[in-house]
């Protein structure tokens, strides 16, 4: 019996011109660097990043959990391609100081890689250098992707971009 397997296709491909995060297990695109809100989060298995939006991610049912910052309604998220649990989505925060997390996503560092253009200060051919000051907070590597986990340096610059996507 011959099995015909279809090639891996992702639901969404992020722009090749921007730095992005991908699933460490299957390389499905997960988020643009521009959607990163914070690197100062703790997941169930270690450090995690908070993102404004993600792609190629499925959501489980919401449940109430007591996290480090109080009671939240969260739904586990998984990679749509390889089904690995990546983190969770904040559905509801019960404390007013935590409301900013609602609708945002936590992805744990051990499930992500940095992908596309992190080694190049000019990945898109523009005159805009990234990051300001040249400090990424990550050690330099060879190749197009690297595992995450190194802490960001104090005082490293930030930059805000507005992305316009035609859907």
């Amino acid at each position: 019996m011959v099995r015909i397997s279809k090639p891996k296709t992702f639901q969404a491909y992020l722009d090749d011109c921007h730095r992005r995060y991908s699933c460490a297990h299957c390389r499905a695109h997960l988020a643009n660097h521009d959607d990163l809100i914070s690197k100062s989060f703790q997941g169930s298995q270690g450090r995690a990043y908070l993102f404004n939006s993600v792609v190629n991610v499925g959501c489980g049912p919401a449940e109430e959990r007591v996290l480090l910052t109080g009671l939240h309604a969260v739904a586990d998220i998984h990679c749509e391609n390889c089904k690995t649990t990546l983190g969770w989505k904040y559905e509801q925060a019960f404390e007013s100081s935590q409301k900013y997390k609602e609708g945002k996503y936590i992805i744990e560092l051990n499930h992500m890689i940095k992908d596309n253009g992190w080694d190049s200060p000019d990945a898109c051919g523009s005159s805009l250098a990234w990051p300001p000051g040249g400090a990424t907070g990550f050690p330099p590597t060879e190749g197009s992707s690297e595992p995450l986990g190194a802490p960001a340096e104090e005082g490293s610059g930030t930059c805000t971009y507005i992305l316009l996507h035609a859907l």
Side-chain angles (χ1 to χ4, degrees), residues 4 9 38 53 56 59 64 116 118 123 125 132 142:
I4 299 174
T9 56
S38 175
S53 64
N56 299 318
C59 232
E64 290 183 3
N116 192 47
W118 289 90
E142 295 294 323

Side-chain angles (χ1 to χ4, degrees), residues 51 67 73 98:
F51 289 95
L67 303 175
Q98 302 300 308

Side-chain angles (χ1 to χ4, degrees), residues 31-150:
N32 274 324
H33 181 69
D34 298 332
D35 287 317
L36 177 64
I37 297 171
S38 175
K39 296 180 178 181
S40 301
F41 277 75
Q42 185 68 30
S44 60
Q45 300 174 10
R47 290 184 53 219
Y49 288 178
L50 180 69
F51 289 95
N52 190 47
S53 64
V54 295
V55 296
N56 299 318
V57 167
C59 232
E63 62 184 30
E64 290 183 3
R65 291 185 197 158
V66 178
L67 303 175
L68 293 174
T69 54
L71 181 64
H72 294 81
V74 297
D76 285 337
I77 59 172
H78 63 272
C79 174
E80 280 288 346
N81 189 55
C82 68
K83 307 303 181 197
T84 300
T85 299
L86 302 169
W88 60 83
K89 177 182 181 183
Y90 287 101
E91 298 288 353
Q92 184 179 6
F94 295 100
E95 296 182 27
S96 60
S97 66
Q98 302 300 308
K99 293 286 188 186
Y100 75 96
K101 295 178 186 175
E102 292 182 347
K104 309 296 189 282
Y105 301 83
I106 287 288
I107 300 180
E108 296 181 352
L109 267 58
N110 58 340
H111 298 299
M112 284 191 300
I113 57 169
K114 290 169 26 176
D115 200 8
N116 192 47
W118 289 90
D119 295 330
S120 170
D122 189 13
C124 301
S126 70
S127 61
L128 182 63
W130 175 261
T136 64
F138 295 98
T141 62
E142 295 294 323
S144 64
S145 59
E146 67 179 76
L148 297 173

